[in-house]
Amino acid sequence: MKKKVAFYTLGCKLNFSETSTIARSFADEGFERVDFSEKADMYVINTCSVTDNADKKFKTIVKKAQKINADAFVAAVGCYAQLKPEELADVDGVDLVLGATEKFKITDYINDLTKNDHGQVHSCEIADADFYIGSYAIGDRTRAFLKVQDGCDYKCTYCTIPLARGISRSDTLENVLKNAADISEQGIKEIVLTGVNIGDYGKGEFGNKKHEHTFLDLVKALDDVDGIHRLRISSIEPNLLKNETIEFVAQSKTFVPHFHIPLQSGSDDLLKLMKRRYMTNLYKERVAKIREVIPNCCIGVDVIVGFPGETEEHFLETYHFLNDLDISYLHVFTYSERDNTPAATMNGVVPNKVRNKRSKMLRGLSVKKRRAFYESQLGNDLTVLFEGENKEGYIHGFTENYVKVKSPWNPALVNTLHKVKLTEIDNDGLVRFNFVKEEVEA
């Protein structure tokens, strides 16, 4: 009988791509992968450290696994496992905790899957996390997350990622192109490029700071890979999103008109406290450049509320800055203190009640921005990639510029690309459309 293993991923697209790579190593060892809701001999939880909720959720996931099979072996890997291994090892039911360099060798650490009295910890000094493991995730049949870079050399005062993932390092261009070709051969229509700081791509290509390639080189090379229908850039720092890259995307065959650019604050005072590498002027210039060369582009923004020292004036500065900016939606993060970060000991702590109120205001602004962006796209002919799930009798999909559409469920549409004309916004905020031509694009 094959042993069964199940995986649960907390956090970002990068974690999803790495879980897939880890899962493939289990398949090589003869394990059968099953859904996390099914009975398995081993459960692997890939952890996140970015928000408080991800930390708390870990215990809930362990309990869920134990409920399904009390005798199952439970392993924790990922960012939280690197930052606080002992804390995870103390959680009832956890047998193994692996840090940043060990997670990709997980099958070396398991023997007969006998449960331990206490979680065993194998975690490195983060300075040892200086090698690169390429990975990609195929979460469904429509899109894949392709990891091109790992780690970060930035010192943002609120962030634990450099402590959890180590220095900035990149996959070789040759390997990225090979992985992209492998993905496209599996009939997947969209690839999302992911990493911790993907605009820094190239650094660490040879295991040191020397590099031959830049992010622009990567983008240009991927645009020439046969068989890829769509390429999407995930979050990229404003200071690393160069005008040349924006101009290239504007005329690219496969890169879609969608950028997600972290801002974090619309106040220069706070950007300095956060040790971000740009001011609001540069951010404004990037948005203006995108609008100039790709008028229908979708622009997403990350923003943090409640950072230490954020006064009402600072918050309103951020609110008005975003309100005046021609962007499409926001991802709003409520600041939470993280151990061993400079921000955790800063003065001017913002009460949680105030943080939550500010978060609510920006989420409201995001709804308004998304609605305005969707309205601006009505009447346009766009291409939709349809997803694989039946959601209450509807099929959903995304246009190239990230407008979410809906249509009555039709399994024949799954993982196909169709030209449509956007017609109206439904009550749930999703967009209705008419087909422009019925045949599927190759």
Side-chain angles (χ1 to χ4, degrees):
M1 283 286 287
K2 272 188 170 184
K3 294 260 192 239
K4 293 179 178 178
V5 61
F7 298 86
Y8 196 102
T9 306
L10 293 160
C12 62
K13 293 181 179 80
L14 183 56
N15 271 6
F16 278 93
S17 74
E18 291 182 343
T19 297
S20 285
T21 298
I22 293 165
R24 286 191 283 273
S25 72
F26 275 91
D28 294 343
E29 296 292 327
F31 279 77
E32 179 190 345
R33 182 175 182 176
V34 297
D35 191 79
F36 203 84
S37 60
E38 296 176 45
K39 188 172 182 181
D41 301 288
M42 180 171 181
Y43 294 92
V44 179
I45 304 165
N46 195 352
T47 63
C48 168
S49 69
V50 171
T51 65
D52 263 348
N53 291 343
D55 297 359
K56 289 167 189 164
K57 201 169 179 191
F58 175 75
K59 289 178 183 173
T60 312
I61 307 305
V62 173
K63 278 181 186 156
K64 186 179 170 187
Q66 287 187 298
K67 209 170 179 181
I68 303 165
N69 182 7
D71 298 323
F73 191 88
V74 177
V77 301
C79 291
Y80 193 33
Q82 174 64 36
L83 290 174
K84 298 195 173 178
E86 299 298 344
E87 204 170 288
L88 292 193
D90 286 341
V91 173
D92 191 38
V94 172
D95 300 290
L96 179 67
V97 179
L98 298 180
T101 63
E102 293 80 12
K103 63 189 171 191
F104 294 108
K105 300 179 287 188
I106 183 170
T107 54
D108 296 348
Y109 292 97
I110 52 176
N111 298 315
D112 58 359
L113 299 186
T114 304
K115 286 195 75 61
N116 296 318
D117 295 335
H118 183 264
Q120 287 184 359
V121 173
H122 298 276
S123 79
C124 64
E125 289 298 321
I126 199 59
D128 297 336
D130 58 358
F131 58 89
Y132 187 86
I133 302 279
S135 50
Y136 60 86
I138 298 168
D140 55 36
R141 286 194 298 143
T142 53
R143 71 175 51 81
F145 301 128
L146 172 58
K147 174 182 167 186
V148 299
Q149 183 274 342
D150 199 351
C152 188
D153 292 341
Y154 286 12
K155 300 285 188 283
C156 302
T157 54
Y158 51 80
C159 187
T160 56
I161 288 173
L163 300 172
R165 285 188 167 269
I167 59 169
S168 179
R169 54 210 190 272
S170 307
D171 206 348
T172 62
L173 189 59
E174 182 188 21
N175 201 45
V176 173
L177 298 178
K178 179 191 166 296
N179 285 341
D182 288 350
I183 291 166
S184 67
E185 277 169 19
Q186 295 179 54
I188 285 157
K189 300 284 196 289
E190 180 172 307
I191 295 175
V192 183
L193 302 185
T194 184
V196 174
N197 188 359
I198 62 170
D200 207 25
Y201 175 81
K203 193 189 277 184
E205 214 178 334
F206 305 103
N208 53 29
K209 296 299 176 198
K210 187 163 109 1
H211 61 92
E212 271 172 27
H213 300 107
T214 63
F215 183 68
L216 181 60
D217 294 335
L218 172 74
V219 166
K220 285 178 173 176
L222 280 166
D223 203 46
D224 285 333
V225 175
D226 286 339
I228 298 176
H229 294 76
R230 281 185 176 182
L231 284 156
R232 199 178 293 276
I233 298 168
S234 68
S235 186
I236 181 166
E237 293 284 305
N239 51 305
L240 295 174
L241 177 57
K242 306 295 186 194
N243 285 343
E244 296 86 346
T245 304
I246 296 168
E247 284 161 4
F248 184 80
V249 168
Q251 52 82 53
S252 156
K253 300 189 291 282
T254 49
F255 277 90
V256 294
H258 177 201
F259 290 103
H260 191 94
I261 315 166
L263 169 68
Q264 311 309 15
S265 176
S267 158
D268 286 343
D269 291 346
L270 288 184
L271 289 175
K272 286 172 192 165
L273 278 178
M274 292 174 169
K275 287 203 174 164
R276 300 294 285 158
R277 299 196 176 195
Y278 54 86
M279 291 290 111
T280 50
N281 263 348
L282 176 102
Y283 198 94
K284 215 185 289 184
E285 283 167 19
R286 290 293 181 268
V287 172
K289 178 66 180 178
I290 293 167
R291 285 283 164 248
E292 177 200 330
V293 297
I294 322 173
N296 283 335
C297 191
C298 179
I299 304 174
V301 181
D302 286 341
V303 61
I304 295 170
V305 294
F307 187 79
E310 183 185 70
T311 61
E312 191 66 16
E313 289 73 23
H314 288 134
F315 171 70
L316 289 173
E317 204 179 338
T318 295
Y319 187 93
H320 293 310
F321 180 78
L322 289 165
N323 192 39
D324 295 343
L325 211 53
D326 191 358
I327 54 165
S328 315
Y329 65 90
L330 304 171
H331 280 173
V332 183
F333 297 90
T334 305
Y335 172 75
S336 60
E337 285 77 3
R338 319 306 293 153
D339 289 346
N340 301 316
T341 58
T345 56
M346 284 181 181
N347 296 326
V349 173
V350 179
N352 283 332
K353 201 172 166 183
V354 177
R355 296 183 205 186
N356 294 336
K357 180 187 153 206
R358 290 174 184 173
S359 175
K360 201 171 175 183
M361 281 178 70
L362 283 183
R363 286 176 208 277
L365 179 61
S366 181
V367 170
K368 192 178 96 172
K369 288 283 185 185
R370 194 185 296 269
R371 176 90 190 189
F373 176 64
Y374 281 9
E375 283 174 354
S376 76
Q377 298 304 302
L378 296 180
N380 287 352
D381 288 358
L382 296 162
T383 305
V384 171
L385 173 58
F386 288 98
E387 315 225 308
E389 235 180 307
N390 182 341
K391 298 197 174 165
E392 297 172 352
Y394 287 94
I395 189 167
H396 292 169
F398 283 94
T399 63
E400 59 270 48
N401 62 346
Y402 215 54
V403 174
K404 192 172 186 180
V405 304
K406 67 186 284 195
S407 184
W409 171 253
N410 176 357
L413 291 176
V414 171
N415 195 34
T416 62
L417 290 154
H418 288 265
K419 268 276 192 287
V420 304
K421 185 184 285 292
L422 303 185
T423 56
E424 61 180 318
I425 301 174
D426 215 343
N427 295 332
D428 58 5
L430 304 189
V431 180
R432 298 280 196 159
F433 59 86
N434 294 324
F435 286 102
V436 172
K437 54 179 184 177
E438 283 303 310
E439 75 273 13
V440 180
E441 292 185 1

